[in-house]
Amino acid sequence: MKNRLSRIIKPKDNRTVMLAVDHGYFMGPTTGLENLGKTVIPLLPYADSLMLTRGALRRYIPPETDTPIVLRISGGTSIVGKELLHEGIITSMKEAIRLNVAGVAFSILIGADFERDTLLGLAKVVDEAEEYGIPVVAVTAVGRDMNKDAKYLSLASRMAAEFGAHIVKTYYCENFERVVDTCPVPIVIAGGKKIDEKDALEMTYNAIQAGAAGVDMGRNIFQSSNPVGMIKAIRAIVHEGATPKEAYEIFKEEPLVEVRSE
Ligand code: 5RP
C-alpha cells in the first residue's frame, strides 16, 4: 500500500500532479481527448500519475509507459442519461492488478437520491483494494444542482475518508482549508470545466496554500491552448512553490507543439 501510494504522492514533498483523462467513461469523446494518446503522450513526462479507464489504457497508452496508473473503476451512467453519476463498479480488482495499477478511482455522489448505492460501492472497492494493498482515490462528484461549497465538500470528503479512501479528489472552493483540515487523508483537486489559464493556476496555488496535496486535473490541462505549457506551470506550483505569476510565465514561454487530433 505504502509503495503504491508513494508512486502517486511523491514522498520528497508529499505532493502530486495527477493527470485526469478518464472523462470518456461518461462524456464520450471529450474535446481534446478525441485521440487520447496523441494528446496525453507528450504530457506524460510531467505527470506523476495518469488517471483513466482500462479501455483507454489498453488502446491509447503503450505498455512500456512507466507513469503510475490510477484506474477509473466506477461508471455506468452518462451525461445524456437520467441519473448523472449513479455509478457502480465497472472494472474488477483482478483486472486492476493485471494492469499493474498504482491505485483505483471510484466516484461517490453525496446528497443524491442514490448516494447509498455509490457509498456501498466505495465500501466494497475499499475492502477489495485493501486485500491487495491498492490505494483508492474517492472522487466526490457534485450534481448540477448542488453547491460546491466548503460545507458540502467537507462533508463528502470526510465521509470518503471514513469509508477508507486513501486519497480524496474534490473541488476547490472558498474556505478550502476547512475541507483539508477536516479530512484525514490527502486531498487533490479536480480542475472542473475549462477556465482561463491564469484562473486555473490561481486556483491551484490557492488549493496548495490551503493544504491540498496537489491536483488530479484534466480539462484545464488538455483543453488548454498549450497543454504541455499548462502541465509544466501546474507542476511548478505543486512541486516547486511557484506563484501563479511565475507559473503563468512558464506557461507562456512554452513553445506550442500541436498535439491534438482533428
Ligand atoms: C468526474 C471526474 C472526471 O472524469 C475528471 O477526472 C475530472 O477532471 P477535471 O474536472 O479536472 O477535468 O473525476 O467526476
Side-chain angles (χ1 to χ4, degrees):
M1 177 68 76
K2 182 72 188 163
N3 177 271
R4 288 194 177 98
L5 268 173
S6 305
R7 299 192 66 217
I8 303 172
I9 298 181
K10 297 298 164 190
K12 69 170 182 353
D13 57 4
N14 288 321
R15 297 260 175 89
T16 185
V17 175
M18 302 170 69
L19 177 61
V21 292
D22 58 326
H23 306 62
Y25 86 97
F26 75 109
M27 289 168 70
T30 314
T31 304
L33 295 181
E34 295 88 344
N35 179 335
L36 189 146
K38 219 170 169 187
T39 301
V40 166
I41 287 165
L43 302 175
L44 290 179
Y46 314 104
D48 293 323
S49 70
L50 184 63
M51 176 175 165
L52 77 180
T53 60
R54 69 166 145 185
L57 178 61
R58 187 191 292 149
R59 293 296 167 201
Y60 292 113
I61 306 297
E64 297 78 13
T65 305
D66 63 4
T67 307
I69 300 298
V70 174
L71 194 67
R72 156 69 66 183
I73 62 161
S74 69
T77 54
S78 76
I79 37 165
V80 293
K82 289 201 178 73
E83 289 189 325
L84 181 68
L85 301 177
H86 184 173
E87 297 181 3
I89 300 168
I90 57 166
T91 307
S92 69
M93 208 52 66
K94 190 172 169 189
E95 172 79 332
I97 294 162
R98 198 184 68 78
L99 294 169
N100 199 24
V101 304
V104 295
F106 190 94
S107 287
I108 53 172
L109 193 39
I110 310 292
D113 289 347
F114 46 80
E115 67 171 15
R116 182 169 187 273
D117 294 352
T118 62
L119 285 167
L120 295 189
L122 174 63
K124 188 168 176 355
V125 161
V126 171
D127 271 344
E128 288 174 3
E130 285 285 351
E131 219 173 309
Y132 304 105
I134 299 182
V136 176
V137 179
V139 182
T140 69
V142 182
R144 287 188 193 102
D145 49 351
M146 290 173 181
N147 261 347
K148 277 192 204 171
D149 60 17
K151 189 173 175 204
Y152 175 79
L153 294 174
S154 57
L155 168 80
S157 300
R158 176 60 176 266
M159 284 182 67
E162 299 250 359
F163 268 65
H166 305 86
I167 298 173
V168 170
K169 172 177 178 172
T170 192
Y171 290 89
Y172 180 73
C173 62
E174 250 178 65
N175 299 323
F176 195 63
E177 292 81 1
R178 173 170 168 196
V179 181
V180 175
D181 292 348
T182 55
C183 181
V185 300
I187 293 216
V188 291
I189 60 155
K193 282 193 182 138
K194 171 77 176 69
I195 52 176
D196 185 75
E197 276 79 5
K198 267 189 186 156
D199 295 336
L201 294 172
E202 188 83 43
M203 176 174 73
T204 303
Y205 179 79
N206 291 341
I208 296 294
Q209 293 301 110
V215 299
D216 186 9
M217 192 175 274
R219 288 163 289 181
N220 277 289
I221 294 174
F222 64 73
Q223 292 178 350
S224 165
S225 56
N226 190 342
V228 171
M230 193 57 183
I231 196 169
K232 280 187 170 179
I234 296 280
R235 243 194 120 70
I237 293 173
V238 171
H239 284 302
E240 288 145 39
T243 62
K245 202 161 169 266
E246 289 163 343
Y248 190 65
E249 289 305 310
I250 293 171
F251 167 71
K252 270 199 331 202
E253 279 161 24
E254 183 66 25
L256 184 60
V257 182
E258 187 53 62
V259 291
R260 292 216 187 118
S261 60
E262 294 309 317

